[in-house]
Amino acid sequence: MDLFRFLPENFFSILASKNKRIYASLIMETFKIYENGSILGIDKKIVVDELVHFLDTNTYSYTQEDEDKDDDEANPNTNRELANFVLRKMEECGWIYVDVTNDYVEVLNFSDAGITVCEALGQITPIYYEDGTETELSKDEYQGYIYTIYSLLNNKDNIEYSVIMQEVYRNTKLLIRAIRRLDSRLKDYIKMVFMETDPHELMENLIRYREDFVENGYAKLKMGDNINRYRLRIISRLEEYQSSEEIMNVVAMGYNKKSEAENLMRANRDIDEMIDVFNSLDDFITEIDEKNRTYVNSTINKIKFLISEDDNIIGKLNKILKYVHNENKLNHTDKAMRLVNTGIHLDENRAISEASLYTPRGSYKHNFNLLLDDSRLTGFDIETDFFDSYQAPYREDEITLYLEENFKDDKLVGSDLIKYDTNMHDCMLAIYAILFTLENENMYEIIILNNKIKNAHLSMRDFIIRRRLEDVR
């Protein structure tokens, strides 16, 4: 297959440049606008206005491409100029084409290749429309495939068994592909836990994970009634087909092998494969359950460590190692080690004298007599601050009280709590409130917003915490 018989040579160049992130975002935004337009296309001016609004409400920076140095239009100074420039790039690369009507109105349409690739990209990152819906199949694809299979197999009036089996097999393959994509996305999230060192990014990833993976993917597969309601019936119907010689002969006619025996063998093999798929769904859900717990617990624990690492020795050593690692990437290893050595002096020749009274520490056995006994503290007045210093920095009861005090109409908006001059203690309370919310998803839900919260101590995405409806008294 010659792919570039159907695609322009420079089709993918727009996604392989310095500004690939802004190009990709504007391509998908344009596709969303286009899908909501007329079947015959959409006025280019409307698209430009919508893209300007999109750029005004999101933070993107554009860097002039090397190949565009002599192009006066390739250095946009406003969002409107940038929107027009990107649309021109999309047209040059074959993603869209623009026709001019008799009334001199420019009408934008996506090319066949542009539509196909945007639909594929929408499967990786769902497109959200104004009414809250997503790209087709990104939200209910598991139930859709399973219900289609169930309906085909249980339609008593349809005796086109060959056609039915081809459609059932095709939908089963699509279900497998969707499940593998779900598993792959979870592995990507787990990998990000180890790579990411910014606690705010980890929190955003965790919130995004709940929206993208759990609520719109895994929960649909696990909690939807289609699995338990239809799975066993699908298996039974496939076994009934396989046990009927008459049906299997009709099914085999849909295969184009050399002999009837080969066609029948292929039909039986495909049905066995489909039965195995539906029998293994429970094992898959169990495995995903374990990966889900691993990701959530690992992320929350790492966030808690990162936001408190400045207060412990491990955190300070971690910063030193990060500094040396980053300098080593820049080939500044000697400089980094000289700077570290000035702050930490390690005497390699230091030794303990034989005459020293030091003796190695022996094995330690826990002695219950060492435990503090309240009865022995009679007459001593110990400040509560002393005990507080040995407790967790932000306790669950403190966070619960913080949430209750700040809820307004059963919701809490991050930007209402964190202003530019908000002190670090209150900022940390807000961060721990997010973590507490994520750990107690049966009581609260969190929504991440596009606008940024800017504070003297940190910068993070705005958020809304809501009580779950069933918990509202």
Side-chain angles (χ1 to χ4, degrees), residues 141-142 145-146 172-186 213 221 227 277-278 280-281 284-285 288:
E141 56 184 328
Y142 312 104
Y145 295 138
I146 294 171
T172 303
K173 283 293 185 184
L174 291 172
L175 176 63
I176 294 171
R177 189 180 301 167
I179 288 174
R180 285 173 175 164
R181 193 165 61 243
L182 186 73
D183 184 57
S184 178
R185 289 215 313 268
L186 178 52
F213 179 82
L221 178 63
I227 294 294
V277 167
F278 286 99
S280 63
L281 282 180
F284 169 78
I285 289 174
I288 289 293

Side-chain angles (χ1 to χ4, degrees), residues 442-471:
N442 59 320
M443 298 168 58
Y444 306 99
E445 64 176 335
I446 185 165
I447 301 169
I448 193 164
L449 306 175
N450 288 327
N451 56 299
K452 286 271 189 179
I453 297 175
K454 292 187 178 179
N455 174 269
H457 305 286
L458 55 86
S459 175
M460 61 187 292
R461 295 271 290 279
D462 198 1
F463 60 92
I464 296 175
I465 296 175
R466 286 199 182 102
R467 285 194 184 94
R468 294 283 183 189
L469 292 177
E470 57 267 26
D471 294 297

Side-chain angles (χ1 to χ4, degrees), residues 31-69:
F31 184 68
K32 181 178 78 173
I33 299 164
Y34 168 73
E35 286 215 305
N36 287 326
S38 165
I39 193 172
L40 299 176
I42 186 168
D43 190 334
K44 184 181 174 183
K45 289 182 180 179
I46 295 175
V47 178
V48 172
D49 289 340
E50 292 291 335
L51 292 183
V52 170
H53 175 70
F54 175 78
L55 290 167
D56 287 340
T57 53
N58 291 274
T59 54
Y60 289 103
S61 58
Y62 176 80
T63 304
Q64 189 174 19
E65 305 282 355
D66 293 335
E67 65 270 19
D68 293 329
K69 293 295 184 183

Side-chain angles (χ1 to χ4, degrees), residues 156-270:
K156 303 291 187 180
D157 297 328
N158 192 346
I159 57 173
E160 296 291 337
Y161 297 114
S162 177
V163 177
I164 289 174
M165 197 52 58
Q166 288 176 21
E167 283 301 303
V168 168
Y169 187 77
R170 186 180 72 85
N171 277 275
T172 303
K173 283 293 185 184
L174 291 172
L175 176 63
I176 294 171
R177 189 180 301 167
I179 288 174
R180 285 173 175 164
R181 193 165 61 243
L182 186 73
D183 184 57
S184 178
R185 289 215 313 268
L186 178 52
K187 289 176 182 176
D188 289 339
Y189 274 108
I190 293 173
K191 190 186 300 182
M192 282 192 286
V193 178
F194 300 100
M195 297 174 62
E196 187 59 65
T197 57
D198 183 350
H200 306 121
E201 283 295 326
L202 282 167
M203 273 190 293
E204 287 189 20
N205 287 342
L206 187 55
I207 296 168
R208 212 176 292 119
Y209 165 82
R210 304 218 71 87
E211 294 174 348
D212 172 39
F213 179 82
V214 177
E215 295 179 8
N216 294 331
Y218 174 52
K220 298 290 183 181
L221 178 63
K222 180 182 177 181
M223 301 174 190
D225 61 353
N226 287 342
I227 294 294
N228 296 325
R229 186 176 176 185
Y230 301 126
R231 185 172 64 89
L232 293 178
R233 184 58 181 158
I234 289 172
I235 294 171
S236 297
R237 287 293 291 166
L238 288 171
E239 289 174 342
E240 288 174 19
Y241 274 30
Q242 204 168 26
S243 63
S244 170
E245 183 179 349
E246 181 183 351
I247 292 176
M248 288 304 296
N249 286 332
V250 176
V251 171
M253 292 172 61
Y255 294 88
N256 297 318
K257 297 300 177 183
K258 293 180 180 178
S259 64
E260 292 182 8
E262 285 182 314
N263 288 341
L264 190 60
M265 183 175 66
R266 176 66 184 270
N268 276 290
R269 190 190 73 182
D270 287 351

Side-chain angles (χ1 to χ4, degrees), residues 126-143:
I127 305 171
Y128 293 87
Y129 295 95
E130 294 298 328
D131 59 358
T133 59
E134 299 176 34
T135 42
E136 186 181 3
L137 296 181
S138 66
K139 195 168 185 178
D140 298 311
E141 56 184 328
Y142 312 104
Q143 293 98 314

